[in-house]
Amino acid sequence: QSALTQPPSVSGSPGQSVAISCTGTSSDVGNHNFVSWYQQHPGKAPRLIIYDVRGRPSGVPDRFSGSKSGNTASLTISGLQAEDEADYYCISFAGSYDYVWGSGTTVTVL
Amino acid sequence: EVQLLESGGGLKQPGGSLRLSCEASGFSFSNFAMVWVRQAPGRGLELVSANSAKDGRTFYADSVKGRFTISKDSSTNTLYLQMNSLRVEDTAVYFCAKSMRSMSPEALDYWGQGTLVTVSS
């Protein structure tokens, strides 16, 4: 159960776009479309913002989008806003009812 | 309204046991996979255990296999996590969460507020 690799931090100015990568292997991200992304503000429970690579739960702004290429999934935040400053985590199905989390990325709004 | 309310956290000595509970309401508890996710102080998220509603399968992180047991009582809509042989490294906030699906636990659309477990001598 090795963690998926995410950049420790990304930053951007309000209105800009930022992308967070989530790199796994051909056993997890590369072999399944069950990749989800979570947003977590300090002291709060995580919030699901993307599921099944690119699905968006109701209530999640459309400036959040997901994609995947090969063994890497990505979360893009377009039109960055101050409230987007948070930690972001990815998780992927890894086969045979096994799951692996990303290491987490802190997004800073400059 | 979906609600998940965890309880049972506290301070325990290494080697001790603790049982966490998660009371669920506002949805058909028997139809969705339920999970426990933990977060150690200043660290990332870890899927500790999951229980499939579809076929009863369970998932455990390598770090807790053989020590933790997930279970549920559909008559009271309560999810449990029995934690035995506690270690210092089990110290974390434990979240109960509901999956969007009956089996796979990676898309968790509702979360509890978390309960703190501290393992220390």
mmCIF file of all heavy atoms in Angstrom, chain A residues 1 34-36 38 40 44-48 51-52 57 89 91-93 96-99 101-103, chain B residues 39 43-47 51-52 57-62 95 100-101 103-108 111-112:
data_model
loop_
_atom_site.group_PDB
_atom_site.id
_atom_site.type_symbol
_atom_site.label_atom_id
_atom_site.label_comp_id
_atom_site.label_asym_id
_atom_site.label_seq_id
_atom_site.Cartn_x
_atom_site.Cartn_y
_atom_site.Cartn_z
ATOM 1 N N GLN A 1 0.835 -1.205 0.000
ATOM 2 C CA GLN A 1 0.000 0.000 0.000
ATOM 3 C C GLN A 1 0.873 1.260 0.000
ATOM 4 O O GLN A 1 0.839 2.058 0.938
ATOM 5 C CB GLN A 1 -0.930 -0.015 1.200
ATOM 6 C CG GLN A 1 -1.952 -1.128 1.171
ATOM 7 C CD GLN A 1 -2.749 -1.215 2.465
ATOM 8 O OE1 GLN A 1 -2.402 -0.600 3.460
ATOM 9 N NE2 GLN A 1 -3.790 -2.012 2.477
ATOM 10 N N PHE A 34 -11.359 4.647 -10.700
ATOM 11 C CA PHE A 34 -11.888 4.980 -9.379
ATOM 12 C C PHE A 34 -10.868 5.839 -8.641
ATOM 13 O O PHE A 34 -10.192 5.381 -7.723
ATOM 14 C CB PHE A 34 -12.193 3.709 -8.586
ATOM 15 C CG PHE A 34 -13.317 2.897 -9.152
ATOM 16 C CD1 PHE A 34 -13.131 1.561 -9.464
ATOM 17 C CD2 PHE A 34 -14.557 3.452 -9.358
ATOM 18 C CE1 PHE A 34 -14.172 0.807 -9.986
ATOM 19 C CE2 PHE A 34 -15.610 2.714 -9.879
ATOM 20 C CZ PHE A 34 -15.413 1.382 -10.201
ATOM 21 N N VAL A 35 -10.762 7.079 -9.085
ATOM 22 C CA VAL A 35 -9.882 8.040 -8.440
ATOM 23 C C VAL A 35 -10.744 9.184 -7.903
ATOM 24 O O VAL A 35 -11.578 9.734 -8.630
ATOM 25 C CB VAL A 35 -8.835 8.618 -9.410
ATOM 26 C CG1 VAL A 35 -7.976 9.668 -8.689
ATOM 27 C CG2 VAL A 35 -7.956 7.509 -9.972
ATOM 28 N N SER A 36 -10.555 9.500 -6.642
ATOM 29 C CA SER A 36 -11.311 10.594 -6.013
ATOM 30 C C SER A 36 -10.356 11.630 -5.451
ATOM 31 O O SER A 36 -9.193 11.326 -5.167
ATOM 32 C CB SER A 36 -12.195 10.059 -4.879
ATOM 33 O OG SER A 36 -13.188 9.186 -5.370
ATOM 34 N N TYR A 38 -10.171 14.927 -2.488
ATOM 35 C CA TYR A 38 -10.781 15.533 -1.308
ATOM 36 C C TYR A 38 -10.096 16.853 -0.979
ATOM 37 O O TYR A 38 -8.895 16.992 -1.156
ATOM 38 C CB TYR A 38 -10.680 14.596 -0.096
ATOM 39 C CG TYR A 38 -11.473 13.328 -0.273
ATOM 40 C CD1 TYR A 38 -10.928 12.242 -0.943
ATOM 41 C CD2 TYR A 38 -12.781 13.239 0.187
ATOM 42 C CE1 TYR A 38 -11.672 11.092 -1.148
ATOM 43 C CE2 TYR A 38 -13.527 12.088 -0.007
ATOM 44 C CZ TYR A 38 -12.962 11.024 -0.680
ATOM 45 O OH TYR A 38 -13.702 9.885 -0.880
ATOM 46 N N GLN A 40 -9.534 19.514 2.243
ATOM 47 C CA GLN A 40 -9.632 19.569 3.694
ATOM 48 C C GLN A 40 -9.093 20.890 4.223
ATOM 49 O O GLN A 40 -7.922 21.209 4.040
ATOM 50 C CB GLN A 40 -8.879 18.406 4.348
ATOM 51 C CG GLN A 40 -9.100 18.344 5.861
ATOM 52 C CD GLN A 40 -8.324 17.223 6.530
ATOM 53 O OE1 GLN A 40 -7.233 16.861 6.095
ATOM 54 N NE2 GLN A 40 -8.877 16.651 7.605
ATOM 55 N N LYS A 44 -11.027 20.605 9.964
ATOM 56 C CA LYS A 44 -12.320 20.163 9.418
ATOM 57 C C LYS A 44 -12.209 18.767 8.826
ATOM 58 O O LYS A 44 -11.122 18.268 8.546
ATOM 59 C CB LYS A 44 -12.798 21.135 8.325
ATOM 60 C CG LYS A 44 -12.982 22.553 8.790
ATOM 61 C CD LYS A 44 -14.132 22.690 9.759
ATOM 62 C CE LYS A 44 -14.420 24.148 10.085
ATOM 63 N NZ LYS A 44 -15.531 24.279 11.063
ATOM 64 N N ALA A 45 -13.363 18.141 8.636
ATOM 65 C CA ALA A 45 -13.391 16.858 7.948
ATOM 66 C C ALA A 45 -13.154 17.077 6.454
ATOM 67 O O ALA A 45 -13.469 18.141 5.913
ATOM 68 C CB ALA A 45 -14.738 16.168 8.167
ATOM 69 N N PRO A 46 -12.598 16.096 5.776
ATOM 70 C CA PRO A 46 -12.413 16.206 4.319
ATOM 71 C C PRO A 46 -13.764 16.337 3.603
ATOM 72 O O PRO A 46 -14.801 15.918 4.123
ATOM 73 C CB PRO A 46 -11.721 14.893 3.950
ATOM 74 C CG PRO A 46 -11.063 14.443 5.208
ATOM 75 C CD PRO A 46 -11.999 14.856 6.298
ATOM 76 N N ARG A 47 -13.704 16.876 2.386
ATOM 77 C CA ARG A 47 -14.892 17.049 1.546
ATOM 78 C C ARG A 47 -14.592 16.458 0.187
ATOM 79 O O ARG A 47 -13.564 16.783 -0.418
ATOM 80 C CB ARG A 47 -15.222 18.537 1.413
ATOM 81 C CG ARG A 47 -16.342 18.882 0.418
ATOM 82 C CD ARG A 47 -16.284 20.357 0.085
ATOM 83 N NE ARG A 47 -17.357 20.779 -0.834
ATOM 84 C CZ ARG A 47 -17.357 21.932 -1.498
ATOM 85 N NH1 ARG A 47 -16.362 22.786 -1.321
ATOM 86 N NH2 ARG A 47 -18.363 22.245 -2.298
ATOM 87 N N LEU A 48 -15.478 15.607 -0.301
ATOM 88 C CA LEU A 48 -15.319 15.014 -1.630
ATOM 89 C C LEU A 48 -15.566 16.068 -2.700
ATOM 90 O O LEU A 48 -16.625 16.707 -2.709
ATOM 91 C CB LEU A 48 -16.309 13.858 -1.796
ATOM 92 C CG LEU A 48 -16.323 13.122 -3.130
ATOM 93 C CD1 LEU A 48 -15.012 12.351 -3.342
ATOM 94 C CD2 LEU A 48 -17.516 12.178 -3.226
ATOM 95 N N TYR A 51 -14.948 12.515 -7.999
ATOM 96 C CA TYR A 51 -14.977 11.069 -7.904
ATOM 97 C C TYR A 51 -14.926 10.481 -9.314
ATOM 98 O O TYR A 51 -15.267 11.156 -10.291
ATOM 99 C CB TYR A 51 -16.205 10.572 -7.134
ATOM 100 C CG TYR A 51 -17.524 10.856 -7.826
ATOM 101 C CD1 TYR A 51 -18.126 9.900 -8.626
ATOM 102 C CD2 TYR A 51 -18.156 12.093 -7.682
ATOM 103 C CE1 TYR A 51 -19.322 10.157 -9.272
ATOM 104 C CE2 TYR A 51 -19.346 12.357 -8.327
ATOM 105 C CZ TYR A 51 -19.926 11.391 -9.117
ATOM 106 O OH TYR A 51 -21.113 11.660 -9.757
ATOM 107 N N ASP A 52 -14.517 9.225 -9.412
ATOM 108 C CA ASP A 52 -14.413 8.541 -10.713
ATOM 109 C C ASP A 52 -13.646 9.385 -11.728
ATOM 110 O O ASP A 52 -14.075 9.576 -12.870
ATOM 111 C CB ASP A 52 -15.814 8.220 -11.255
ATOM 112 C CG ASP A 52 -16.551 7.204 -10.414
ATOM 113 O OD1 ASP A 52 -15.933 6.657 -9.477
ATOM 114 O OD2 ASP A 52 -17.741 6.961 -10.661
ATOM 115 N N PRO A 57 -19.481 15.970 -7.387
ATOM 116 C CA PRO A 57 -20.714 15.885 -6.577
ATOM 117 C C PRO A 57 -21.495 17.188 -6.650
ATOM 118 O O PRO A 57 -20.927 18.258 -6.898
ATOM 119 C CB PRO A 57 -20.194 15.645 -5.161
ATOM 120 C CG PRO A 57 -18.810 15.118 -5.336
ATOM 121 C CD PRO A 57 -18.283 15.768 -6.575
ATOM 122 N N TYR A 89 -6.225 15.828 -1.223
ATOM 123 C CA TYR A 89 -5.761 14.440 -1.232
ATOM 124 C C TYR A 89 -6.454 13.660 -2.349
ATOM 125 O O TYR A 89 -7.634 13.839 -2.597
ATOM 126 C CB TYR A 89 -6.092 13.746 0.093
ATOM 127 C CG TYR A 89 -5.416 14.331 1.305
ATOM 128 C CD1 TYR A 89 -6.022 15.350 2.038
ATOM 129 C CD2 TYR A 89 -4.179 13.857 1.727
ATOM 130 C CE1 TYR A 89 -5.414 15.882 3.164
ATOM 131 C CE2 TYR A 89 -3.560 14.390 2.855
ATOM 132 C CZ TYR A 89 -4.185 15.409 3.562
ATOM 133 O OH TYR A 89 -3.567 15.937 4.672
ATOM 134 N N ILE A 91 -7.164 9.597 -3.867
ATOM 135 C CA ILE A 91 -7.220 8.201 -3.464
ATOM 136 C C ILE A 91 -7.605 7.388 -4.691
ATOM 137 O O ILE A 91 -8.403 7.838 -5.521
ATOM 138 C CB ILE A 91 -8.218 7.959 -2.307
ATOM 139 C CG1 ILE A 91 -8.230 6.478 -1.896
ATOM 140 C CG2 ILE A 91 -9.598 8.462 -2.656
ATOM 141 C CD1 ILE A 91 -9.087 6.180 -0.673
ATOM 142 N N SER A 92 -7.022 6.207 -4.818
ATOM 143 C CA SER A 92 -7.312 5.359 -5.964
ATOM 144 C C SER A 92 -7.582 3.933 -5.529
ATOM 145 O O SER A 92 -6.968 3.425 -4.580
ATOM 146 C CB SER A 92 -6.145 5.367 -6.941
ATOM 147 O OG SER A 92 -6.336 4.418 -7.983
ATOM 148 N N PHE A 93 -8.493 3.293 -6.245
ATOM 149 C CA PHE A 93 -8.690 1.858 -6.119
ATOM 150 C C PHE A 93 -7.421 1.180 -6.658
ATOM 151 O O PHE A 93 -6.848 1.625 -7.661
ATOM 152 C CB PHE A 93 -9.901 1.446 -6.942
ATOM 153 C CG PHE A 93 -10.193 -0.028 -6.944
ATOM 154 C CD1 PHE A 93 -10.453 -0.704 -5.769
ATOM 155 C CD2 PHE A 93 -10.238 -0.735 -8.136
ATOM 156 C CE1 PHE A 93 -10.740 -2.059 -5.772
ATOM 157 C CE2 PHE A 93 -10.537 -2.088 -8.154
ATOM 158 C CZ PHE A 93 -10.791 -2.753 -6.971
ATOM 159 N N SER A 96 -8.721 -5.626 -6.099
ATOM 160 C CA SER A 96 -9.005 -6.608 -5.052
ATOM 161 C C SER A 96 -9.352 -5.948 -3.716
ATOM 162 O O SER A 96 -8.852 -6.351 -2.671
ATOM 163 C CB SER A 96 -7.800 -7.540 -4.861
ATOM 164 O OG SER A 96 -8.135 -8.618 -4.012
ATOM 165 N N TYR A 97 -10.223 -4.952 -3.750
ATOM 166 C CA TYR A 97 -10.673 -4.217 -2.565
ATOM 167 C C TYR A 97 -9.505 -3.642 -1.795
ATOM 168 O O TYR A 97 -9.444 -3.701 -0.562
ATOM 169 C CB TYR A 97 -11.532 -5.120 -1.661
ATOM 170 C CG TYR A 97 -12.607 -4.357 -0.926
ATOM 171 C CD1 TYR A 97 -13.498 -3.546 -1.614
ATOM 172 C CD2 TYR A 97 -12.739 -4.424 0.462
ATOM 173 C CE1 TYR A 97 -14.475 -2.831 -0.972
ATOM 174 C CE2 TYR A 97 -13.725 -3.712 1.125
ATOM 175 C CZ TYR A 97 -14.588 -2.920 0.407
ATOM 176 O OH TYR A 97 -15.562 -2.208 1.063
ATOM 177 N N ASP A 98 -8.552 -3.076 -2.510
ATOM 178 C CA ASP A 98 -7.406 -2.409 -1.931
ATOM 179 C C ASP A 98 -7.393 -0.960 -2.405
ATOM 180 O O ASP A 98 -7.777 -0.666 -3.543
ATOM 181 C CB ASP A 98 -6.116 -3.113 -2.355
ATOM 182 C CG ASP A 98 -4.929 -2.680 -1.517
ATOM 183 O OD1 ASP A 98 -5.134 -2.032 -0.470
ATOM 184 O OD2 ASP A 98 -3.792 -2.990 -1.911
ATOM 185 N N TYR A 99 -6.969 -0.060 -1.537
ATOM 186 C CA TYR A 99 -7.026 1.366 -1.840
ATOM 187 C C TYR A 99 -5.753 2.037 -1.373
ATOM 188 O O TYR A 99 -5.133 1.614 -0.403
ATOM 189 C CB TYR A 99 -8.247 2.008 -1.169
ATOM 190 C CG TYR A 99 -9.519 1.416 -1.709
ATOM 191 C CD1 TYR A 99 -10.027 0.252 -1.164
ATOM 192 C CD2 TYR A 99 -10.145 1.968 -2.811
ATOM 193 C CE1 TYR A 99 -11.162 -0.343 -1.702
ATOM 194 C CE2 TYR A 99 -11.278 1.389 -3.354
ATOM 195 C CZ TYR A 99 -11.776 0.229 -2.795
ATOM 196 O OH TYR A 99 -12.881 -0.359 -3.332
ATOM 197 N N TRP A 101 -3.946 6.071 -0.718
ATOM 198 C CA TRP A 101 -4.108 7.512 -0.632
ATOM 199 C C TRP A 101 -2.895 8.222 -1.200
ATOM 200 O O TRP A 101 -1.782 7.703 -1.193
ATOM 201 C CB TRP A 101 -4.218 7.961 0.821
ATOM 202 C CG TRP A 101 -5.531 7.778 1.464
ATOM 203 C CD1 TRP A 101 -5.870 6.777 2.319
ATOM 204 C CD2 TRP A 101 -6.693 8.592 1.345
ATOM 205 N NE1 TRP A 101 -7.160 6.933 2.733
ATOM 206 C CE2 TRP A 101 -7.699 8.041 2.158
ATOM 207 C CE3 TRP A 101 -6.985 9.760 0.630
ATOM 208 C CZ2 TRP A 101 -8.966 8.597 2.273
ATOM 209 C CZ3 TRP A 101 -8.251 10.317 0.741
ATOM 210 C CH2 TRP A 101 -9.226 9.733 1.552
ATOM 211 N N GLY A 102 -3.130 9.454 -1.625
ATOM 212 C CA GLY A 102 -2.037 10.330 -1.957
ATOM 213 C C GLY A 102 -1.443 10.946 -0.695
ATOM 214 O O GLY A 102 -2.050 10.916 0.368
ATOM 215 N N SER A 103 -0.273 11.525 -0.854
ATOM 216 C CA SER A 103 0.452 12.090 0.281
ATOM 217 C C SER A 103 -0.055 13.467 0.698
ATOM 218 O O SER A 103 0.300 13.976 1.751
ATOM 219 C CB SER A 103 1.945 12.164 -0.043
ATOM 220 O OG SER A 103 2.150 12.663 -1.366
ATOM 221 N N GLN B 39 -6.382 10.390 10.721
ATOM 222 C CA GLN B 39 -5.406 11.419 10.401
ATOM 223 C C GLN B 39 -4.577 11.710 11.645
ATOM 224 O O GLN B 39 -5.087 12.282 12.620
ATOM 225 C CB GLN B 39 -6.086 12.687 9.902
ATOM 226 C CG GLN B 39 -5.145 13.755 9.406
ATOM 227 C CD GLN B 39 -5.875 14.863 8.676
ATOM 228 O OE1 GLN B 39 -6.980 15.259 9.040
ATOM 229 N NE2 GLN B 39 -5.260 15.367 7.607
ATOM 230 N N ARG B 43 -0.452 15.043 9.846
ATOM 231 C CA ARG B 43 -0.189 14.094 8.771
ATOM 232 C C ARG B 43 -1.369 14.006 7.810
ATOM 233 O O ARG B 43 -2.386 14.684 7.965
ATOM 234 C CB ARG B 43 0.087 12.705 9.372
ATOM 235 C CG ARG B 43 1.210 12.661 10.389
ATOM 236 C CD ARG B 43 2.563 12.973 9.761
ATOM 237 N NE ARG B 43 2.953 11.984 8.795
ATOM 238 C CZ ARG B 43 3.607 10.860 9.101
ATOM 239 N NH1 ARG B 43 3.911 10.590 10.363
ATOM 240 N NH2 ARG B 43 3.962 10.012 8.147
ATOM 241 N N GLY B 44 -1.226 13.142 6.811
ATOM 242 C CA GLY B 44 -2.260 12.972 5.804
ATOM 243 C C GLY B 44 -3.335 11.974 6.215
ATOM 244 O O GLY B 44 -3.364 11.494 7.350
ATOM 245 N N LEU B 45 -4.209 11.693 5.269
ATOM 246 C CA LEU B 45 -5.333 10.793 5.524
ATOM 247 C C LEU B 45 -4.927 9.340 5.275
ATOM 248 O O LEU B 45 -4.126 9.057 4.385
ATOM 249 C CB LEU B 45 -6.500 11.154 4.608
ATOM 250 C CG LEU B 45 -7.042 12.572 4.745
ATOM 251 C CD1 LEU B 45 -8.057 12.867 3.649
ATOM 252 C CD2 LEU B 45 -7.663 12.779 6.118
ATOM 253 N N GLU B 46 -5.512 8.450 6.061
ATOM 254 C CA GLU B 46 -5.256 7.020 5.885
ATOM 255 C C GLU B 46 -6.576 6.281 5.997
ATOM 256 O O GLU B 46 -7.271 6.397 7.011
ATOM 257 C CB GLU B 46 -4.271 6.501 6.933
ATOM 258 C CG GLU B 46 -3.990 5.003 6.793
ATOM 259 C CD GLU B 46 -3.061 4.455 7.862
ATOM 260 O OE1 GLU B 46 -2.936 5.079 8.927
ATOM 261 O OE2 GLU B 46 -2.465 3.380 7.642
ATOM 262 N N LEU B 47 -6.905 5.510 4.971
ATOM 263 C CA LEU B 47 -8.097 4.662 5.021
ATOM 264 C C LEU B 47 -7.766 3.482 5.932
ATOM 265 O O LEU B 47 -6.983 2.620 5.563
ATOM 266 C CB LEU B 47 -8.471 4.196 3.622
ATOM 267 C CG LEU B 47 -9.704 3.315 3.494
ATOM 268 C CD1 LEU B 47 -10.956 4.016 4.006
ATOM 269 C CD2 LEU B 47 -9.901 2.872 2.052
ATOM 270 N N ASN B 51 -16.057 -1.386 5.034
ATOM 271 C CA ASN B 51 -17.001 -2.501 5.066
ATOM 272 C C ASN B 51 -17.946 -2.376 3.889
ATOM 273 O O ASN B 51 -18.683 -1.397 3.792
ATOM 274 C CB ASN B 51 -17.756 -2.478 6.401
ATOM 275 C CG ASN B 51 -18.656 -3.674 6.570
ATOM 276 O OD1 ASN B 51 -19.598 -3.860 5.799
ATOM 277 N ND2 ASN B 51 -18.391 -4.502 7.554
ATOM 278 N N SER B 52 -17.901 -3.350 2.992
ATOM 279 C CA SER B 52 -18.786 -3.328 1.826
ATOM 280 C C SER B 52 -20.200 -3.719 2.221
ATOM 281 O O SER B 52 -20.400 -4.700 2.929
ATOM 282 C CB SER B 52 -18.251 -4.293 0.764
ATOM 283 O OG SER B 52 -19.224 -4.513 -0.238
ATOM 284 N N ARG B 57 -17.508 -7.727 2.217
ATOM 285 C CA ARG B 57 -16.049 -7.706 2.246
ATOM 286 C C ARG B 57 -15.545 -6.567 3.110
ATOM 287 O O ARG B 57 -16.193 -5.534 3.258
ATOM 288 C CB ARG B 57 -15.479 -7.566 0.838
ATOM 289 C CG ARG B 57 -15.379 -8.872 0.090
ATOM 290 C CD ARG B 57 -14.496 -8.734 -1.116
ATOM 291 N NE ARG B 57 -15.120 -7.959 -2.169
ATOM 292 C CZ ARG B 57 -14.517 -7.665 -3.314
ATOM 293 N NH1 ARG B 57 -13.266 -8.061 -3.523
ATOM 294 N NH2 ARG B 57 -15.142 -6.960 -4.230
ATOM 295 N N THR B 58 -14.358 -6.776 3.665
ATOM 296 C CA THR B 58 -13.751 -5.743 4.487
ATOM 297 C C THR B 58 -12.348 -5.430 3.986
ATOM 298 O O THR B 58 -11.684 -6.268 3.370
ATOM 299 C CB THR B 58 -13.657 -6.171 5.965
ATOM 300 O OG1 THR B 58 -12.964 -7.421 6.042
ATOM 301 C CG2 THR B 58 -15.034 -6.316 6.582
ATOM 302 N N PHE B 59 -11.929 -4.210 4.238
ATOM 303 C CA PHE B 59 -10.578 -3.754 3.897
ATOM 304 C C PHE B 59 -9.919 -3.256 5.170
ATOM 305 O O PHE B 59 -10.552 -2.611 6.006
ATOM 306 C CB PHE B 59 -10.647 -2.613 2.883
ATOM 307 C CG PHE B 59 -9.361 -1.828 2.773
ATOM 308 C CD1 PHE B 59 -8.352 -2.251 1.921
ATOM 309 C CD2 PHE B 59 -9.148 -0.692 3.543
ATOM 310 C CE1 PHE B 59 -7.162 -1.546 1.835
ATOM 311 C CE2 PHE B 59 -7.969 0.021 3.461
ATOM 312 C CZ PHE B 59 -6.966 -0.403 2.595
ATOM 313 N N TYR B 60 -8.654 -3.582 5.314
ATOM 314 C CA TYR B 60 -7.860 -3.056 6.422
ATOM 315 C C TYR B 60 -6.521 -2.567 5.896
ATOM 316 O O TYR B 60 -5.898 -3.223 5.061
ATOM 317 C CB TYR B 60 -7.613 -4.121 7.494
ATOM 318 C CG TYR B 60 -8.863 -4.595 8.206
ATOM 319 C CD1 TYR B 60 -9.501 -5.761 7.828
ATOM 320 C CD2 TYR B 60 -9.397 -3.849 9.264
ATOM 321 C CE1 TYR B 60 -10.655 -6.183 8.471
ATOM 322 C CE2 TYR B 60 -10.552 -4.271 9.913
ATOM 323 C CZ TYR B 60 -11.179 -5.432 9.506
ATOM 324 O OH TYR B 60 -12.321 -5.847 10.154
ATOM 325 N N ALA B 61 -6.082 -1.439 6.384
ATOM 326 C CA ALA B 61 -4.738 -0.971 6.076
ATOM 327 C C ALA B 61 -3.735 -1.944 6.684
ATOM 328 O O ALA B 61 -4.009 -2.549 7.736
ATOM 329 C CB ALA B 61 -4.526 0.428 6.641
ATOM 330 N N ASP B 62 -2.605 -2.103 6.036
ATOM 331 C CA ASP B 62 -1.575 -3.013 6.554
ATOM 332 C C ASP B 62 -1.211 -2.680 7.992
ATOM 333 O O ASP B 62 -0.913 -3.565 8.798
ATOM 334 C CB ASP B 62 -0.322 -2.943 5.678
ATOM 335 C CG ASP B 62 -0.519 -3.603 4.326
ATOM 336 O OD1 ASP B 62 -1.492 -4.374 4.164
ATOM 337 O OD2 ASP B 62 0.299 -3.348 3.420
ATOM 338 N N PHE B 95 -12.152 9.427 11.616
ATOM 339 C CA PHE B 95 -13.379 9.861 10.966
ATOM 340 C C PHE B 95 -14.172 8.646 10.487
ATOM 341 O O PHE B 95 -13.602 7.704 9.931
ATOM 342 C CB PHE B 95 -13.077 10.724 9.737
ATOM 343 C CG PHE B 95 -12.396 12.030 10.011
ATOM 344 C CD1 PHE B 95 -11.026 12.167 9.843
ATOM 345 C CD2 PHE B 95 -13.130 13.143 10.398
ATOM 346 C CE1 PHE B 95 -10.388 13.379 10.071
ATOM 347 C CE2 PHE B 95 -12.506 14.366 10.620
ATOM 348 C CZ PHE B 95 -11.132 14.476 10.466
ATOM 349 N N MET B 100 -20.376 6.665 -1.536
ATOM 350 C CA MET B 100 -21.464 6.906 -2.483
ATOM 351 C C MET B 100 -22.033 5.585 -2.999
ATOM 352 O O MET B 100 -23.125 5.560 -3.560
ATOM 353 C CB MET B 100 -20.959 7.701 -3.692
ATOM 354 C CG MET B 100 -20.502 9.101 -3.386
ATOM 355 S SD MET B 100 -19.826 9.899 -4.854
ATOM 356 C CE MET B 100 -21.277 10.018 -5.885
ATOM 357 N N ARG B 101 -21.269 4.507 -2.830
ATOM 358 C CA ARG B 101 -21.633 3.221 -3.417
ATOM 359 C C ARG B 101 -21.773 2.127 -2.355
ATOM 360 O O ARG B 101 -21.386 2.302 -1.217
ATOM 361 C CB ARG B 101 -20.568 2.809 -4.416
ATOM 362 C CG ARG B 101 -20.328 3.828 -5.508
ATOM 363 C CD ARG B 101 -19.406 3.300 -6.553
ATOM 364 N NE ARG B 101 -19.244 4.254 -7.648
ATOM 365 C CZ ARG B 101 -18.256 5.130 -7.711
ATOM 366 N NH1 ARG B 101 -17.358 5.155 -6.760
ATOM 367 N NH2 ARG B 101 -18.185 5.946 -8.729
ATOM 368 N N MET B 103 -20.236 -0.759 -2.460
ATOM 369 C CA MET B 103 -19.051 -1.583 -2.277
ATOM 370 C C MET B 103 -17.758 -0.763 -2.156
ATOM 371 O O MET B 103 -17.054 -0.863 -1.174
ATOM 372 C CB MET B 103 -18.922 -2.590 -3.413
ATOM 373 C CG MET B 103 -17.876 -3.648 -3.155
ATOM 374 S SD MET B 103 -17.970 -5.032 -4.289
ATOM 375 C CE MET B 103 -17.418 -4.288 -5.815
ATOM 376 N N SER B 104 -17.446 0.024 -3.157
ATOM 377 C CA SER B 104 -16.141 0.688 -3.155
ATOM 378 C C SER B 104 -16.134 1.885 -2.213
ATOM 379 O O SER B 104 -17.074 2.674 -2.166
ATOM 380 C CB SER B 104 -15.781 1.136 -4.571
ATOM 381 O OG SER B 104 -16.770 2.002 -5.083
ATOM 382 N N PRO B 105 -15.070 2.022 -1.422
ATOM 383 C CA PRO B 105 -15.017 3.065 -0.384
ATOM 384 C C PRO B 105 -14.144 4.261 -0.732
ATOM 385 O O PRO B 105 -13.710 4.964 0.171
ATOM 386 C CB PRO B 105 -14.417 2.305 0.794
ATOM 387 C CG PRO B 105 -13.431 1.392 0.154
ATOM 388 C CD PRO B 105 -13.981 1.045 -1.215
ATOM 389 N N GLU B 106 -13.866 4.510 -2.022
ATOM 390 C CA GLU B 106 -12.962 5.642 -2.298
ATOM 391 C C GLU B 106 -13.712 6.942 -2.556
ATOM 392 O O GLU B 106 -13.123 8.005 -2.512
ATOM 393 C CB GLU B 106 -12.031 5.321 -3.484
ATOM 394 C CG GLU B 106 -12.601 5.583 -4.860
ATOM 395 C CD GLU B 106 -13.695 4.613 -5.234
ATOM 396 O OE1 GLU B 106 -13.829 3.573 -4.593
ATOM 397 O OE2 GLU B 106 -14.434 4.913 -6.189
ATOM 398 N N ALA B 107 -15.015 6.888 -2.800
ATOM 399 C CA ALA B 107 -15.812 8.101 -3.017
ATOM 400 C C ALA B 107 -16.700 8.306 -1.798
ATOM 401 O O ALA B 107 -17.802 7.772 -1.715
ATOM 402 C CB ALA B 107 -16.652 7.976 -4.288
ATOM 403 N N LEU B 108 -16.228 9.076 -0.851
ATOM 404 C CA LEU B 108 -16.877 9.241 0.455
ATOM 405 C C LEU B 108 -17.572 10.593 0.497
ATOM 406 O O LEU B 108 -16.930 11.628 0.605
ATOM 407 C CB LEU B 108 -15.831 9.132 1.565
ATOM 408 C CG LEU B 108 -14.998 7.850 1.514
ATOM 409 C CD1 LEU B 108 -13.828 7.913 2.485
ATOM 410 C CD2 LEU B 108 -15.873 6.637 1.806
ATOM 411 N N TRP B 111 -19.093 12.759 5.883
ATOM 412 C CA TRP B 111 -18.104 12.494 6.921
ATOM 413 C C TRP B 111 -18.631 12.930 8.290
ATOM 414 O O TRP B 111 -19.409 13.894 8.380
ATOM 415 C CB TRP B 111 -16.819 13.264 6.635
ATOM 416 C CG TRP B 111 -16.099 12.845 5.399
ATOM 417 C CD1 TRP B 111 -16.525 12.965 4.106
ATOM 418 C CD2 TRP B 111 -14.810 12.242 5.339
ATOM 419 N NE1 TRP B 111 -15.593 12.467 3.254
ATOM 420 C CE2 TRP B 111 -14.526 12.026 3.971
ATOM 421 C CE3 TRP B 111 -13.864 11.863 6.304
ATOM 422 C CZ2 TRP B 111 -13.320 11.434 3.550
ATOM 423 C CZ3 TRP B 111 -12.680 11.293 5.892
ATOM 424 C CH2 TRP B 111 -12.416 11.082 4.518
ATOM 425 N N GLY B 112 -18.181 12.237 9.329
ATOM 426 C CA GLY B 112 -18.444 12.696 10.684
ATOM 427 C C GLY B 112 -17.452 13.788 11.058
ATOM 428 O O GLY B 112 -16.580 14.148 10.265
#
